[in-house]
Amino acid sequence: MIIMLLIINIINGAIKEMKRYRLKDYLKMSGLGFLGLFMYSALYYYGIAVLSSQEACILNYLWPMMIVLFACLLLRETLTVKKAIAMVMSFAGIVVLTLGSGGGSSGNRLFGIIACVAAAVCYGLFSVLNKKHSLNQSVTMMWIWLTVAVCSTVSGLIIEAWQPITGWQWAGVAWLGIVVNAVAYLLWALALKGARDFAKIANLAYLVPFLSIVLSALILKEQIACTAAIALVLIIGGILLQSIHIKKRSKNGQRRP
Protein backbone atom coordinates (compact mmCIF):
# COMPACT_ATOMS: atom_id res chain seq x y z
CA MET A 1 0.00 0.00 0.00
CA ILE A 2 2.66 2.47 1.05
CA ILE A 3 4.86 1.60 -1.92
CA MET A 4 1.93 1.98 -4.32
CA LEU A 5 1.00 5.38 -2.91
CA LEU A 6 4.64 6.46 -2.88
CA ILE A 7 4.90 5.66 -6.60
CA ILE A 8 1.69 7.63 -7.27
CA ASN A 9 3.01 10.64 -5.34
CA ILE A 10 6.36 10.56 -7.11
CA ILE A 11 4.68 10.39 -10.51
CA ASN A 12 2.27 13.27 -9.84
CA GLY A 13 4.92 15.33 -8.03
CA ALA A 14 2.93 15.51 -4.78
CA ILE A 15 5.86 14.09 -2.80
CA LYS A 16 7.58 17.50 -3.01
CA GLU A 17 4.82 19.07 -0.92
CA MET A 18 5.95 17.13 2.15
CA LYS A 19 8.90 19.50 2.55
CA ARG A 20 6.46 22.29 3.44
CA TYR A 21 4.55 20.30 6.07
CA ARG A 22 5.05 21.15 9.73
CA LEU A 23 5.23 18.81 12.71
CA LYS A 24 1.58 19.39 13.59
CA ASP A 25 0.60 18.39 10.03
CA TYR A 26 2.35 15.05 10.44
CA LEU A 27 0.75 14.59 13.87
CA LYS A 28 -2.70 15.25 12.38
CA MET A 29 -2.12 12.73 9.62
CA SER A 30 -0.84 10.19 12.14
CA GLY A 31 -3.91 10.73 14.33
CA LEU A 32 -6.18 10.23 11.33
CA GLY A 33 -4.36 7.03 10.47
CA PHE A 34 -4.61 5.63 13.99
CA LEU A 35 -8.31 6.47 14.39
CA GLY A 36 -9.68 5.93 10.92
CA LEU A 37 -7.75 2.98 9.57
CA PHE A 38 -5.85 1.18 12.33
CA MET A 39 -8.62 1.18 14.95
CA TYR A 40 -11.31 0.79 12.31
CA SER A 41 -9.59 -2.22 10.73
CA ALA A 42 -8.76 -3.87 14.07
CA LEU A 43 -12.35 -3.60 15.30
CA TYR A 44 -13.92 -4.62 12.00
CA TYR A 45 -11.67 -7.65 11.51
CA TYR A 46 -12.54 -8.80 15.02
CA GLY A 47 -16.22 -8.49 14.10
CA ILE A 48 -15.65 -10.54 10.96
CA ALA A 49 -13.94 -13.24 13.04
CA VAL A 50 -16.87 -13.78 15.40
CA LEU A 51 -19.86 -12.94 13.18
CA SER A 52 -20.94 -14.14 9.76
CA SER A 53 -19.60 -12.05 6.87
CA GLN A 54 -23.15 -10.84 6.16
CA GLU A 55 -23.68 -9.54 9.69
CA ALA A 56 -20.25 -7.96 10.02
CA CYS A 57 -20.50 -6.16 6.67
CA ILE A 58 -23.99 -4.78 7.23
CA LEU A 59 -23.24 -3.68 10.80
CA ASN A 60 -20.04 -2.05 9.61
CA TYR A 61 -22.10 0.04 7.22
CA LEU A 62 -23.31 2.22 9.99
CA TRP A 63 -20.33 4.40 9.07
CA PRO A 64 -22.06 6.33 6.26
CA MET A 65 -24.71 7.31 8.79
CA MET A 66 -21.94 8.31 11.19
CA ILE A 67 -20.48 10.51 8.45
CA VAL A 68 -23.79 12.36 8.13
CA LEU A 69 -24.07 12.77 11.91
CA PHE A 70 -20.52 14.02 12.38
CA ALA A 71 -20.83 16.27 9.33
CA CYS A 72 -23.85 17.94 10.94
CA LEU A 73 -22.04 18.24 14.28
CA LEU A 74 -18.57 19.26 13.11
CA LEU A 75 -19.05 20.75 9.62
CA ARG A 76 -22.40 22.42 10.36
CA GLU A 77 -24.14 20.70 7.45
CA THR A 78 -27.93 20.97 7.53
CA LEU A 79 -29.82 17.96 8.85
CA THR A 80 -32.92 18.00 6.65
CA VAL A 81 -36.05 15.94 7.23
CA LYS A 82 -35.17 13.78 4.22
CA LYS A 83 -31.70 13.08 5.59
CA ALA A 84 -33.14 12.24 9.00
CA ILE A 85 -35.71 9.81 7.60
CA ALA A 86 -33.07 8.17 5.37
CA MET A 87 -30.76 7.76 8.36
CA VAL A 88 -33.55 6.27 10.49
CA MET A 89 -34.40 3.77 7.75
CA SER A 90 -30.77 2.72 7.40
CA PHE A 91 -30.36 2.48 11.17
CA ALA A 92 -33.56 0.41 11.37
CA GLY A 93 -31.95 -2.05 8.98
CA ILE A 94 -29.01 -2.38 11.34
CA VAL A 95 -31.35 -2.93 14.30
CA VAL A 96 -33.26 -5.64 12.45
CA LEU A 97 -30.03 -7.43 11.65
CA THR A 98 -28.69 -7.08 15.19
CA LEU A 99 -31.85 -8.45 16.79
CA GLY A 100 -32.11 -11.28 14.28
CA SER A 101 -31.02 -14.83 14.97
CA GLY A 102 -28.55 -15.11 12.11
CA GLY A 103 -25.27 -17.02 12.39
CA GLY A 104 -22.46 -15.99 14.63
CA SER A 105 -20.50 -17.15 17.64
CA SER A 106 -22.86 -17.27 20.60
CA GLY A 107 -20.35 -16.25 23.27
CA ASN A 108 -18.62 -13.47 21.34
CA ARG A 109 -21.59 -12.31 19.23
CA LEU A 110 -22.33 -9.25 21.36
CA PHE A 111 -18.66 -8.21 21.36
CA GLY A 112 -18.57 -8.66 17.59
CA ILE A 113 -21.60 -6.39 17.19
CA ILE A 114 -20.09 -3.76 19.49
CA ALA A 115 -16.77 -3.96 17.61
CA CYS A 116 -18.43 -3.42 14.22
CA VAL A 117 -20.44 -0.46 15.51
CA ALA A 118 -17.33 1.05 17.13
CA ALA A 119 -15.46 0.58 13.85
CA ALA A 120 -18.23 2.47 12.07
CA VAL A 121 -17.92 5.34 14.55
CA CYS A 122 -14.14 5.49 14.05
CA TYR A 123 -14.38 5.59 10.27
CA GLY A 124 -17.25 8.06 10.22
CA LEU A 125 -15.32 10.47 12.44
CA PHE A 126 -12.17 9.90 10.39
CA SER A 127 -13.96 10.80 7.15
CA VAL A 128 -15.32 14.06 8.52
CA LEU A 129 -12.04 15.10 10.15
CA ASN A 130 -10.24 14.30 6.91
CA LYS A 131 -12.70 16.58 5.11
CA LYS A 132 -11.43 19.46 7.28
CA HIS A 133 -7.83 18.43 6.60
CA SER A 134 -6.44 20.80 3.95
CA LEU A 135 -3.33 18.85 2.90
CA ASN A 136 -2.88 16.85 -0.30
CA GLN A 137 -5.03 13.72 -0.07
CA SER A 138 -2.59 11.50 -1.94
CA VAL A 139 0.23 12.40 0.45
CA THR A 140 -2.10 12.20 3.43
CA MET A 141 -3.20 8.66 2.57
CA MET A 142 0.41 7.57 2.13
CA TRP A 143 1.34 8.89 5.58
CA ILE A 144 -1.84 7.44 7.08
CA TRP A 145 -0.97 3.97 5.78
CA LEU A 146 2.57 4.36 7.10
CA THR A 147 1.02 5.06 10.51
CA VAL A 148 -1.16 1.96 10.17
CA ALA A 149 1.87 -0.15 9.22
CA VAL A 150 3.80 1.01 12.30
CA CYS A 151 0.85 0.48 14.66
CA SER A 152 0.07 -2.93 13.15
CA THR A 153 3.68 -4.07 13.45
CA VAL A 154 3.95 -2.99 17.08
CA SER A 155 0.60 -4.53 18.08
CA GLY A 156 1.35 -7.67 16.06
CA LEU A 157 4.67 -8.20 17.82
CA ILE A 158 2.91 -7.89 21.17
CA ILE A 159 -0.28 -9.93 20.75
CA GLU A 160 -0.02 -12.04 17.57
CA ALA A 161 1.83 -15.19 16.54
CA TRP A 162 3.49 -14.47 13.18
CA GLN A 163 3.18 -16.98 10.37
CA PRO A 164 5.03 -17.01 7.01
CA ILE A 165 3.10 -16.05 3.85
CA THR A 166 3.39 -18.57 1.03
CA GLY A 167 2.15 -19.22 -2.51
CA TRP A 168 -1.11 -17.60 -3.56
CA GLN A 169 -1.35 -15.83 -0.20
CA TRP A 170 1.04 -13.23 -1.64
CA ALA A 171 -1.44 -12.56 -4.46
CA GLY A 172 -4.20 -12.05 -1.90
CA VAL A 173 -2.05 -9.71 0.15
CA ALA A 174 -1.13 -7.73 -2.98
CA TRP A 175 -4.79 -7.44 -4.01
CA LEU A 176 -5.84 -6.27 -0.55
CA GLY A 177 -2.93 -3.87 -0.26
CA ILE A 178 -3.02 -2.25 -3.71
CA VAL A 179 -6.63 -2.37 -4.90
CA VAL A 180 -8.80 -2.75 -1.80
CA ASN A 181 -6.80 -0.42 0.44
CA ALA A 182 -4.35 1.90 -1.36
CA VAL A 183 -6.40 2.74 -4.47
CA ALA A 184 -9.89 2.39 -2.98
CA TYR A 185 -9.23 4.50 0.13
CA LEU A 186 -7.53 7.19 -1.94
CA LEU A 187 -10.46 7.41 -4.38
CA TRP A 188 -12.94 7.51 -1.50
CA ALA A 189 -11.01 10.29 0.24
CA LEU A 190 -10.93 12.30 -3.00
CA ALA A 191 -14.67 11.76 -3.50
CA LEU A 192 -15.45 13.03 0.01
CA LYS A 193 -13.05 15.94 -0.39
CA GLY A 194 -14.87 17.18 -3.47
CA ALA A 195 -18.40 16.48 -2.22
CA ARG A 196 -20.75 19.35 -1.47
CA ASP A 197 -23.13 17.11 0.44
CA PHE A 198 -21.71 14.31 2.57
CA ALA A 199 -25.08 12.58 2.91
CA LYS A 200 -25.52 11.79 -0.78
CA ILE A 201 -22.00 10.39 -1.12
CA ALA A 202 -22.18 8.49 2.16
CA ASN A 203 -25.50 6.84 1.39
CA LEU A 204 -24.22 5.46 -1.90
CA ALA A 205 -21.82 3.35 0.13
CA TYR A 206 -24.76 1.33 1.42
CA LEU A 207 -24.72 -0.50 -1.90
CA VAL A 208 -21.64 -2.38 -0.68
CA PRO A 209 -23.38 -4.60 1.91
CA PHE A 210 -25.86 -5.66 -0.76
CA LEU A 211 -23.02 -6.75 -3.02
CA SER A 212 -21.24 -8.35 -0.06
CA ILE A 213 -24.25 -10.51 0.81
CA VAL A 214 -24.61 -11.64 -2.79
CA LEU A 215 -20.92 -12.53 -3.03
CA SER A 216 -20.91 -14.28 0.35
CA ALA A 217 -23.79 -16.45 -0.86
CA LEU A 218 -22.05 -17.25 -4.15
CA ILE A 219 -18.46 -17.67 -2.93
CA LEU A 220 -18.70 -18.60 0.76
CA LYS A 221 -22.01 -20.49 0.33
CA GLU A 222 -23.55 -18.59 3.25
CA GLN A 223 -27.32 -18.75 3.40
CA ILE A 224 -28.97 -15.35 3.09
CA ALA A 225 -30.87 -14.88 6.34
CA CYS A 226 -34.35 -13.38 6.35
CA THR A 227 -33.24 -10.65 8.75
CA ALA A 228 -30.38 -9.76 6.40
CA ALA A 229 -32.80 -9.41 3.49
CA ILE A 230 -35.12 -7.15 5.53
CA ALA A 231 -32.16 -5.09 6.69
CA LEU A 232 -31.01 -4.61 3.12
CA VAL A 233 -34.47 -3.44 2.02
CA LEU A 234 -34.46 -0.80 4.75
CA ILE A 235 -30.89 0.27 4.05
CA ILE A 236 -31.31 0.55 0.29
CA GLY A 237 -34.62 2.32 0.90
CA GLY A 238 -32.64 4.92 2.80
CA ILE A 239 -30.26 5.27 -0.14
CA LEU A 240 -33.07 5.77 -2.62
CA LEU A 241 -34.82 8.29 -0.39
CA GLN A 242 -31.61 10.27 0.00
CA SER A 243 -31.13 10.28 -3.78
CA ILE A 244 -34.62 11.58 -4.61
CA HIS A 245 -34.54 15.16 -5.87
CA ILE A 246 -37.75 16.91 -4.88
CA LYS A 247 -38.78 19.76 -7.15
CA LYS A 248 -40.42 22.81 -5.64
CA ARG A 249 -43.41 24.56 -7.17
CA SER A 250 -43.10 28.19 -8.17
CA LYS A 251 -45.84 30.72 -7.53
CA ASN A 252 -47.36 30.21 -10.98
CA GLY A 253 -47.78 26.49 -10.28
CA GLN A 254 -44.91 25.28 -12.43
CA ARG A 255 -42.27 22.93 -11.02
CA ARG A 256 -38.75 24.18 -10.64
CA PRO A 257 -35.61 22.46 -9.29
Side-chain angles (χ1 to χ4, degrees):
M1 293 176 285
I2 301 171
I3 295 174
M4 181 65 182
L5 291 170
L6 177 61
I7 293 173
I8 292 174
N9 287 321
I10 291 175
I11 292 175
N12 63 23
I15 197 73
K16 298 177 182 178
E17 296 184 21
M18 296 184 70
K19 297 179 181 179
R20 301 195 300 269
Y21 293 173
R22 294 169 292 179
L23 176 61
K24 71 175 185 178
D25 296 324
Y26 287 103
L27 291 177
K28 286 181 181 179
M29 291 188 291
S30 298
L32 287 172
F34 179 80
L35 171 70
L37 295 188
F38 175 70
M39 287 302 300
Y40 163 75
S41 297
L43 291 167
Y44 180 43
Y45 288 152
Y46 173 78
I48 291 176
V50 299
L51 300 172
S52 70
S53 63
Q54 294 178 23
E55 291 177 311
C57 183
I58 295 179
L59 284 171
N60 173 60
Y61 270 80
L62 270 172
W63 66 258
M65 189 187 73
M66 296 300 174
I67 288 180
V68 177
L69 286 175
F70 286 124
C72 293
L73 293 174
L74 301 179
L75 301 182
R76 305 295 178 86
E77 287 193 2
T78 303
L79 181 61
T80 64
V81 174
K82 187 172 69 172
K83 286 182 183 179
I85 295 175
M87 288 166 56
V88 169
M89 288 182 65
S90 297
F91 182 73
I94 303 299
V95 172
V96 168
L97 184 68
T98 303
L99 298 179
S101 57
S105 300
S106 56
N108 295 326
R109 178 180 169 80
L110 178 60
F111 293 107
I113 291 172
I114 293 173
C116 286
V117 173
V121 172
C122 288
Y123 195 74
L125 182 58
F126 159 78
S127 297
V128 173
L129 292 177
N130 193 36
K131 172 76 173 180
K132 299 178 67 175
H133 187 60
S134 60
L135 302 180
N136 184 289
Q137 281 299 302
S138 183
V139 173
T140 298
M141 291 308 299
M142 182 184 70
W143 190 266
I144 282 175
W145 279 113
L146 177 61
T147 302
V148 173
V150 173
C151 292
S152 299
T153 301
V154 172
S155 62
L157 290 172
I158 296 174
I159 64 176
E160 296 290 341
W162 288 67
Q163 297 180 353
I165 300 175
T166 59
W168 283 101
Q169 292 177 343
W170 282 109
V173 170
W175 171 264
L176 289 173
I178 297 174
V179 179
V180 176
N181 288 319
V183 175
Y185 276 96
L186 176 59
L187 292 177
W188 177 249
L190 292 173
L192 289 179
K193 198 72 176 179
R196 293 184 178 181
D197 191 335
F198 261 43
K200 290 182 178 180
I201 297 295
N203 273 274
L204 288 176
Y206 278 121
L207 291 173
V208 176
F210 172 79
L211 297 175
S212 176
I213 284 183
V214 172
L215 291 175
S216 68
L218 294 175
I219 299 174
L220 301 179
K221 307 302 180 182
E222 290 184 356
Q223 184 178 0
I224 299 178
C226 180
T227 51
I230 295 173
L232 277 177
V233 170
L234 290 170
I235 289 171
I236 295 177
I239 299 172
L240 295 176
L241 177 62
Q242 188 61 238
S243 303
I244 292 175
H245 180 66
I246 301 176
K247 294 183 178 180
K248 298 179 181 179
R249 290 185 177 273
S250 60
K251 292 183 179 179
N252 59 10
Q254 296 180 340
R255 289 183 176 235
R256 60 184 176 85

